Amino acid sequence: MSSVLELPTPKLEEWRWADMQALRAAADTVPRDSGIKPADLFLDVEGPRLLFVDGVFEPAHSRPGPVKVARFAPETAHPLGSMAEGEGWVLSLDPQVAMTGIQIVHLGSGGESHVPARIMLAEDAVATITETYAGSGWANRITQMHLARGARLMRAVRLVQADGFVSIRDEAQVGEAASLVSIFLGAGGMGTRIDGALTLTGKGAFAEMGGALLTSGTQKQEAAVAVRHEAIEGSSRQLWRAVAANRSAASLAARVEVARHAQQTDGEQSLRGLLLDRGATVNLKPELEIFADDVKCAHGATVGELDKRALFYLQSRGVPESRAKALLTHAFVAEALSRIGEEAVRAAFEADAERWLEAAL
Amino acid sequence: MLTITDLRAEIDGKEILKGLSLTVNAGEVHAIMGPNGAGKSTLGYVLGGRPNYEATGGSVTFGGEDLLDMDAHARAAAGLFLGFQYPVEIPGISNVQFLREALNSQRRARGEAPLSGGEFLKLARAQADALGMDQEMLKRPVNVGFSGGEKKRNEMVQMGILGPRLAILDETDSGLDIDALKAVGDGINRIMRAPDKAVILITHYQRLLDYVQPDFVHVLEAGRITRTGGPELALQLEREGYGVAA
């Protein structure tokens, strides 16, 4: 199957930084034992748990609760997302129901795996979900979300595969006064493509998609997110941090579209990159397309190195250089992870980032 | 404690210090005064080990060790504290986190056991109280949004927590109102006025010396010390200027 993959090419503007060669190579890898115990991948958080191994639901390590496992084919025009049909998971919450601490773990041993997901929150329903990607191979995922009026969804996604590739497609409809927050951390050795299309369909809707991509060696990670405001008084936030070491590349493309009638939109884009080595690359591409005339859209994009004055300040107080670099880099990344609501989850993500920094610096 | 002999130093190829010699013994407070561009801050940075401030000649020993041969963090662990004229703002790192990391790094380097979170907090709170700094500021990011006076108080709190043997304070009085100046002066006396400690105060003006009485006053001009006297020399400089007093 992988030999006939029809993948997007860098000739397409939206895929210009995408590392499809790494994806293809990951899809072609021969499965091998990862040596990872699935139980070690779940955080110490109470709630439903689902384990997918090579894209197949593993009931022995799962307790799905209200999360259903089902086979389906999501409707999407996205070139990678459209491949993610088959066995997946569905969370559907009734009005005012709260379900927190849901964990979905994807463990790969090589080759390719496809898992679709659907999240449907009725009015004022609340859910928090943590997703973890570990192992190797090509993990291809699509998550389609629908948030009704007043619903709230908090997702935290950690990509810690040792190698291979993770491609994630998020498609969301955010209704009136509903809130969607998705925070990603790329802190493994894999290639990454995080692709988002969020649409704010109701008055006063809020959507946030952001996180941190940490790359080293010759690794490439990227995120490409488009947020579309279709209703009045909506607000959105895209706060991404990229840290690139050695000869790696981290790329961020963030787009905000404001429809003609979506007045009083408040959009924020903050894309910042940190180069740990001169041979590393950070690509940033903020985009605004605004047709309404009463909007506030702030965007900033900066790439730089560690602040040498701050580095010396820390050293002058006794902190060794490598530790000072780690502290400053961690502070740079922490801002993007601070939006994760559950303290235990946020701490786990920060620990992942810390481990990455210790290895990279 | 500190012996500087014929020190020469340059920044980006330009020689700033041109044969500076100075001896500081334990229990002494030395004030270094001089006009702008004389090399006062450069001296502080060279002693602190700032990159690009390159010593090209002479020698510096601190407690009998070759200071110039040590990395910046090792100089701090050996007991040298550099107070900055413009303390750096570091978003994302709290004062508490920064100071605990710094103190425990120093303790590890000296072969001492690191302090626990509780022990450290007790120490930090005591020092903040003694300097009149709001406890809440310990939780805030390092120097971010602090006023000039708050930054200098924070430097003193750091000095109190780290407990150095030698403090080199670079224009600690700049940007301070009278109350903050008195608080900083009291802090220097309380923390550093001890038989086994010493201070080098780099300053433009007499006013900090009203609160911290120096034992020696040196005039630094064109990269070397040209005159040395007692506290009365600072008053004379204040009255008559550097050119007239020469």
Side-chain angles (χ1 to χ4, degrees):
Chain A
M1 181 173 173
S2 57
S3 59
V4 292
L5 274 179
E6 286 185 23
L7 299 172
T9 75
K11 290 177 183 170
L12 299 166
E13 176 61 21
E14 290 180 358
W15 297 85
R16 60 187 289 197
W17 295 313
D19 190 8
M20 292 297 105
Q21 285 183 335
L23 183 155
R24 191 181 294 277
D28 289 340
T29 52
V30 177
R32 65 177 195 275
D33 183 8
S34 65
I36 299 170
K37 292 180 187 166
D40 294 342
L41 296 170
F42 287 102
L43 305 180
D44 189 16
V45 173
E46 273 303 306
R49 295 180 170 190
L50 284 84
L51 171 68
F52 288 85
V53 177
D54 292 330
V56 177
F57 178 61
E58 179 67 69
H61 291 90
S62 303
R63 46 168 198 259
V67 186
K68 308 285 185 230
V69 177
R71 299 190 73 84
F72 59 100
E75 287 182 18
T76 180
H78 190 267
L80 298 182
S82 61
M83 297 179 197
E85 61 176 75
E87 189 174 49
W89 57 275
V90 177
L91 174 68
S92 182
L93 293 183
D94 291 335
Q96 298 184 332
V97 170
M99 180 55 60
T100 58
I102 299 167
Q103 293 189 68
I104 315 287
V105 166
H106 303 268
L107 178 57
S109 65
E112 63 186 89
S113 67
H114 304 273
V115 175
R118 187 174 295 148
I119 302 169
M120 291 173 293
L121 303 187
E123 284 190 11
D124 297 319
V126 176
T128 66
I129 300 173
T130 303
E131 294 170 46
T132 299
Y133 291 80
S136 59
W138 175 34
N140 184 43
R141 307 291 181 259
I142 183 168
T143 305
Q144 293 181 321
M145 294 160 271
H146 185 272
L147 277 62
R149 188 168 66 85
R152 283 180 290 147
L153 174 61
M154 166 89 231
R155 287 170 71 226
V157 183
R158 57 202 282 247
L159 311 177
V160 288
Q161 278 198 192
D163 50 36
F165 200 93
V166 177
S167 55
I168 290 175
R169 169 67 173 175
D170 278 5
E171 296 177 355
Q173 305 280 316
V174 186
E176 181 179 339
S179 167
L180 167 64
V181 177
S182 295
I183 305 297
F184 295 79
L185 172 65
M190 73 281 132
T192 297
R193 166 88 181 190
I194 299 165
D195 211 320
L198 315 181
T199 307
L200 285 71
T201 57
K203 177 184 176 183
F206 174 79
E208 175 168 351
M209 194 163 172
L213 303 182
L214 316 178
T215 60
S216 62
T218 56
Q219 185 183 10
K220 290 182 180 177
Q221 294 197 66
E222 67 165 333
V225 179
V227 175
R228 179 168 176 77
H229 288 260
E230 289 189 345
I232 64 168
E233 298 174 14
S235 42
S236 65
R237 196 162 183 250
Q238 296 179 71
L239 191 153
W240 288 95
R241 298 290 177 261
V243 178
N246 313 123
R247 299 182 58 78
S248 66
S251 305
L252 302 169
R255 179 178 174 83
V256 173
E257 302 167 8
V258 182
R260 192 174 304 280
H261 51 276
Q263 302 292 0
Q264 285 100 50
T265 285
D266 185 352
E268 180 191 353
Q269 287 176 299
S270 171
L271 311 179
R272 290 177 60 197
L274 182 62
L275 297 167
L276 296 181
D277 296 293
R278 292 288 167 93
T281 301
V282 170
N283 300 303
L284 304 179
K285 186 182 168 197
E287 284 184 287
L288 298 175
E289 186 178 272
I290 301 170
F291 290 102
D293 54 13
D294 182 13
V295 301
K296 189 167 73 175
C297 283
H299 68 100
T302 59
V303 182
E305 297 175 295
L306 285 173
D307 182 345
K308 289 188 169 55
R309 293 176 317 130
L311 203 54
F312 175 60
Y313 193 69
L314 290 169
Q315 290 175 267
S316 77
R317 297 297 178 255
V319 182
E321 184 180 8
S322 62
R323 182 65 190 148
K325 283 182 176 175
L327 278 173
L328 291 174
T329 310
H330 187 81
F332 179 81
V333 169
E335 190 183 5
L337 304 181
S338 65
R339 291 281 292 150
I340 297 173
E342 288 174 296
E343 195 173 338
V345 176
R346 187 171 62 249
F349 276 56
E350 286 178 351
D352 286 335
E354 189 74 31
R355 268 192 294 278
W356 185 92
L357 288 169
E358 278 176 16
L361 293 169
Chain B
M1 179 181 283
L2 180 77
T3 307
I4 305 172
T5 308
D6 198 25
L7 179 63
R8 292 177 174 272
E10 61 182 41
I11 309 165
D12 300 329
K14 184 182 179 190
E15 188 171 61
I16 306 292
L17 299 183
K18 300 170 182 175
L20 186 148
S21 295
L22 176 70
T23 301
V24 177
N25 297 307
E28 295 177 351
V29 173
H30 292 244
I32 295 182
M33 306 180 76
N36 284 330
K40 301 191 297 297
S41 292
T42 298
L43 173 63
Y45 286 141
V46 170
L47 295 179
R50 183 170 178 166
N52 297 333
Y53 286 72
E54 192 185 351
T56 53
S59 65
V60 180
T61 59
F62 178 48
E65 308 236 351
D66 183 353
L67 187 76
L68 300 177
D69 206 30
M70 300 160 77
D71 289 335
H73 72 274
R75 298 180 196 203
L80 188 145
F81 180 88
L82 179 62
F84 285 69
Q85 183 180 4
Y86 301 109
V88 180
E89 296 186 3
I90 308 180
I93 301 178
S94 73
N95 257 321
V96 166
Q97 182 191 5
F98 162 54
L99 286 167
R100 188 173 172 212
E101 187 84 33
L103 179 60
N104 282 340
S105 292
Q106 290 197 19
R107 290 178 68 90
R108 275 190 287 270
R110 293 193 291 260
E112 301 166 6
L115 291 189
S116 68
E119 290 170 321
F120 173 77
L121 270 182
K122 198 172 163 188
L123 174 64
R125 284 178 180 149
Q127 291 298 335
D129 273 347
L131 266 298
M133 192 171 94
D134 190 338
Q135 301 278 351
E136 283 301 303
M137 294 182 78
L138 289 171
K139 298 178 190 167
R140 286 171 51 182
V142 180
N143 292 322
V144 176
F146 287 22
S147 69
E150 287 168 341
K151 285 179 181 172
K152 297 303 171 70
R153 272 183 212 250
N154 199 23
E155 293 279 284
M156 293 300 104
V157 170
Q158 291 178 21
M159 191 169 75
I161 290 170
L162 298 174
R165 289 193 292 158
L166 172 65
I168 302 164
L169 305 176
D170 184 10
E171 302 207 19
T172 290
D173 50 351
S174 70
L176 298 186
D177 59 27
I178 293 297
D179 289 341
L181 189 66
K182 185 172 184 314
V184 165
D186 289 346
I188 296 170
N189 288 326
R190 183 178 60 77
I191 299 163
M192 298 303 297
R193 268 295 189 185
D196 59 342
K197 294 176 184 285
V199 179
I200 297 175
L201 282 176
I202 295 172
T203 183
H204 259 309
Y205 305 109
Q206 162 65 30
R207 57 184 197 155
L208 181 60
L209 306 183
D210 290 339
Y211 297 101
V212 185
Q213 176 86 0
D215 301 300
F216 302 93
V217 174
H218 310 276
V219 178
L220 175 56
E221 293 170 299
R224 55 171 72 91
I225 287 173
T226 54
R227 276 166 295 163
T228 293
E232 72 287 347
L233 178 56
L235 293 168
Q236 185 189 355
L237 292 168
E238 183 87 354
R239 211 168 43 239
E240 301 173 2
Y242 296 105
V244 177

